[in-house]
Amino acid sequence: MKKYDTYRVFTPAQPAKLTFIDREIVNEQLVDALRTPGMQIVVYGYSGSGKTTLLTNKINQLYESYIPSQCTKGTTIDQLKLEAFDYLDRYYTTELNENVSNGISASLKSRYAEIKSESKKQEGKTIKRIVPIQLSDQRLAEFVGEAKCCWKIEDFHKVESDDKERLAQLMKVFMDSSMNYPTTKIIAIGAVGTGKEVVAYDKEMSNRLSEIPVPLMSLDELEMIIEKGEFLLNVKFLKEVKNRVIVYSSGLGAVCHQLCLSMCINNGIYETVEETHTFTDSDLDKAIDNYLQKNSSSLKSSYDKATKITKGTVYGIKPILKAILSLTKEKKKDELTPFEIHTEVQKENPTYPLNTVRLYLNQLISAERAEILRYNKDADVYFFSNPFFKAFTELSFSKDFKPSKTDITRISADEIKAYLDAKKDMDEFLSM
Ligand SMILES: Nc1ncnc2c1ncn2[C@@H]1O[C@H](COP(=O)(O)OP(=O)(O)OP(=O)(O)O)[C@@H](O)[C@H]1O
Ligand SMILES: [Mg+2]
């Protein structure tokens, strides 16, 4: 029997490889876009919906190599260009990858070396590196193309607006260079709602840009992850346990991987076992406790982000969350319209305007406010994005609550289960 390392099977903090499942719903569109010469790509979706995993697996299937770039708040296009240029060093000068290096013309290699020395001259002179004039967008596209790479840019929503426009221009240059380099492309990954941004800056891009939404993982997809894990490790999760894991995950692969991983590790299963091991409800309860303990600080920082007071705020965001919580208790339903929420908010804040409620609700579903809520467009209703957020928010409103590790672990599995039991129509819940 082949043995697998449990940490490589269940990967809550890494792109899945062994348990990777194809996302049928977007697979065709993505593969098609990756194969179409000149087609630039924007992939977007909720945090944790599986964008990085999907792209990493697909690019590895279709490309020899790619340039990985990661944006943080305030990253500029110039920084990205320099980073990509530096990354290419492995093909142009150090020749770490001979296969690729051998295919690159000597003249282009010497051009690369020239720019590199130009760039080196600046070292130590300025705090911020400047892009050498010779490193035009066209030249960079050529370097990337010759190295048979594509360029994956993560979290492009974090760049400033002006630089988003520059990104659109850069994509256009890459698109134009596809005559000579058919595989060259930029794949930008962003949060929900960022897909349209690139086109907004440059209408001409609309036909040459494939916008691919990655939805939250469906119940079937989450089940498939668990089943792959069961097979690889020779373990079994009872049907009830499996269902609970799927529902707790609320469409997020990371939660699913984390709960399964904890159950294995708590039982000393570090690799594939000889004799099938079965997990029961009590194993899951313990895994949930572990989850809350491990994530208490990130839950708290998400909550702080969601409720942060911005400049010029007259009406806070907390009354909205409070209203949602009391309505879910009172009406025993989790999905609420802006009107219902507004009516409830007004009980304590009579002048609170409906428009402000709508404005904040829209913010609360965005990355800017940690996606603490989700929105169902068809029914115009809002609800907590996962039971852990809901429980945490509830605790934060209870008297004397100072969010701390011990407080968060007080959220009982029963409380969360009650929330989940109320939520029957999961597929609607998961749709974007
Ligand atoms: N197709 C998949 N098959 C199996 N597991 C997956 C799949 N997609 C995602 N996962 C798991 O879900 C978790 C989150 O995935 P990933 O990091 O790719 O999401 P993301 O959308 O890039 O998140 P973020 O917006 O935070 O960058 C990881 O633990 C990953 O292993
Ligand atoms: Mg990611």
Side-chain angles (χ1 to χ4, degrees):
M1 184 192 287
K2 192 164 180 210
K3 291 203 183 264
Y4 293 92
D5 179 343
T6 308
Y7 286 102
R8 294 191 53 229
V9 172
F10 292 121
T11 52
Q14 269 181 331
K17 219 166 166 185
L18 290 170
T19 57
F20 173 71
I21 50 135
D22 261 317
R23 309 292 301 275
E24 291 302 334
I25 186 164
V26 286
N27 202 29
E28 206 177 314
Q29 194 189 356
L30 179 60
V31 172
D32 193 45
L34 282 166
R35 286 199 171 127
T36 307
M39 186 62 79
Q40 307 301 300
I41 304 176
V42 171
V43 171
Y44 63 96
Y46 291 121
S47 175
S49 59
K51 303 177 290 293
T52 305
T53 304
L54 179 63
L55 274 174
T56 312
N57 280 279
K58 287 292 144 186
I59 294 175
N60 281 337
Q61 281 169 15
L62 298 170
Y63 275 81
E64 199 153 319
S65 51
Y66 66 95
I67 305 171
S69 288
Q70 173 74 51
C71 304
T72 50
K73 200 163 181 275
T75 298
T76 64
I77 298 301
D78 280 357
Q79 278 169 340
L80 287 174
K81 274 178 73 176
L82 284 169
E83 252 177 51
F85 177 78
D86 291 346
Y87 190 85
L88 289 168
D89 198 57
R90 67 195 60 208
Y91 309 117
Y92 282 85
T93 50
T94 57
E95 311 206 345
L96 280 176
N97 185 332
E98 280 184 29
N99 270 354
V100 178
S101 286
N102 291 341
I104 298 176
S105 70
S107 67
L108 205 62
K109 278 186 184 165
S110 80
R111 252 188 229 127
Y112 184 93
E114 270 168 41
I115 299 179
K116 189 177 162 184
S117 74
E118 197 57 41
S119 183
K120 269 221 144 39
K121 274 190 214 155
Q122 297 171 16
E123 264 174 28
K125 282 191 190 160
T126 45
I127 302 164
K128 227 178 180 179
R129 273 174 74 197
I130 299 164
V131 178
I133 304 167
Q134 298 94 320
L135 186 60
S136 61
D137 290 358
Q138 279 84 355
R139 183 65 80 214
L140 182 63
E142 205 177 5
F143 285 141
V144 176
E146 194 86 6
K148 297 196 171 53
C149 283
C150 64
W151 186 7
K152 181 174 87 132
I153 304 178
E154 292 258 5
D155 288 344
F156 83 95
H157 57 273
K158 292 185 178 161
V159 306
E160 302 292 336
S161 300
D162 286 355
D163 272 283
K164 282 202 189 114
E165 197 171 339
R166 282 274 292 113
L167 181 67
Q169 287 162 3
L170 195 60
M171 280 184 151
K172 210 159 138 201
V173 171
F174 270 65
M175 185 180 78
D176 291 337
S177 74
S178 69
M179 291 291 273
N180 296 327
Y181 303 106
T183 57
T184 307
K185 63 181 76 225
I186 292 179
I187 303 155
I189 306 177
V192 161
T194 50
K196 299 268 176 292
E197 284 187 346
V198 176
V199 180
Y201 289 116
D202 194 330
K203 297 274 178 294
E204 260 184 70
M205 286 295 294
S206 60
N207 293 328
R208 288 98 150 217
L209 183 79
S210 184
E211 295 167 72
I212 305 178
V214 177
L216 290 165
M217 302 195 86
S218 71
L219 305 183
D220 285 347
E221 287 169 338
L222 290 165
E223 185 168 11
M224 271 164 13
I225 295 178
I226 304 175
E227 283 171 357
K228 275 199 172 179
E230 284 182 314
F231 175 76
L232 293 168
L233 295 170
N234 190 25
V235 296
K236 191 171 161 36
F237 299 95
L238 290 180
K239 184 84 191 145
E240 167 68 10
V241 175
K242 229 185 262 182
N243 287 344
R244 278 177 68 205
V245 171
I246 293 168
V247 179
Y248 282 119
S249 302
S250 314
L252 301 175
V255 181
C256 179
H257 280 270
Q258 182 63 64
L259 293 174
C260 292
L261 179 65
S262 284
M263 284 191 265
C264 292
I265 300 305
N266 288 342
N267 284 278
I269 296 168
Y270 292 95
E271 60 174 19
T272 312
V273 283
E274 299 281 340
E275 226 172 273
T276 311
H277 183 97
T278 303
F279 296 106
T280 62
D281 261 341
S282 62
D283 292 310
L284 180 55
D285 288 341
K286 188 157 177 229
I288 289 167
D289 281 346
N290 296 151
Y291 181 88
L292 290 171
Q293 213 143 18
K294 249 194 204 129
N295 292 284
S296 61
S297 65
S298 76
L299 281 168
K300 174 169 168 23
S301 69
S302 294
Y303 174 80
D304 289 345
K305 202 169 170 189
T307 54
K308 199 172 127 197
I309 296 168
T310 45
K311 239 192 177 159
T313 307
V314 181
Y315 302 97
I317 243 170
K318 284 186 185 168
I320 294 182
L321 295 175
K322 211 171 178 180
I324 296 177
L325 286 172
S326 55
L327 282 172
T328 54
K329 270 209 189 111
E330 186 189 310
K331 300 203 170 180
K332 299 228 176 320
K333 66 171 187 174
D334 283 301
E335 304 178 344
L336 300 154
T337 65
F339 184 72
E340 286 173 307
I341 298 167
H342 180 235
T343 312
E344 183 68 22
V345 168
Q346 282 194 316
K347 286 187 185 161
E348 280 186 32
N349 304 269
T351 58
Y352 207 112
L354 177 61
N355 275 349
T356 309
V357 171
R358 282 190 189 277
L359 178 85
Y360 281 151
L361 286 172
N362 267 327
Q363 286 182 9
L364 287 164
I365 61 172
S366 71
E368 176 196 0
R369 291 214 182 261
E371 295 179 7
I372 197 166
L373 299 185
R374 301 249 190 255
Y375 178 56
N376 178 340
K377 240 195 343 272
D378 299 332
D380 189 28
V381 287
Y382 292 81
F383 48 94
F384 276 97
S385 59
N386 68 55
F388 302 106
F389 274 156
K390 187 182 175 209
F392 190 91
T393 309
E394 208 153 13
L395 266 183
S396 76
F397 285 124
S398 62
K399 254 200 290 162
D400 307 326
F401 175 65
K402 290 188 206 71
S404 72
K405 200 165 159 168
T406 35
D407 279 322
I408 188 67
T409 55
R410 279 205 326 247
I411 304 174
S412 70
D414 283 348
E415 269 175 274
I416 294 176
K417 193 163 187 316
Y419 163 76
L420 293 166
D421 287 345
K423 191 158 275 310
K424 293 270 161 16
D425 203 354
M426 284 303 290
D427 275 326
E428 194 176 303
F429 170 47
L430 295 171
S431 68
M432 214 155 64

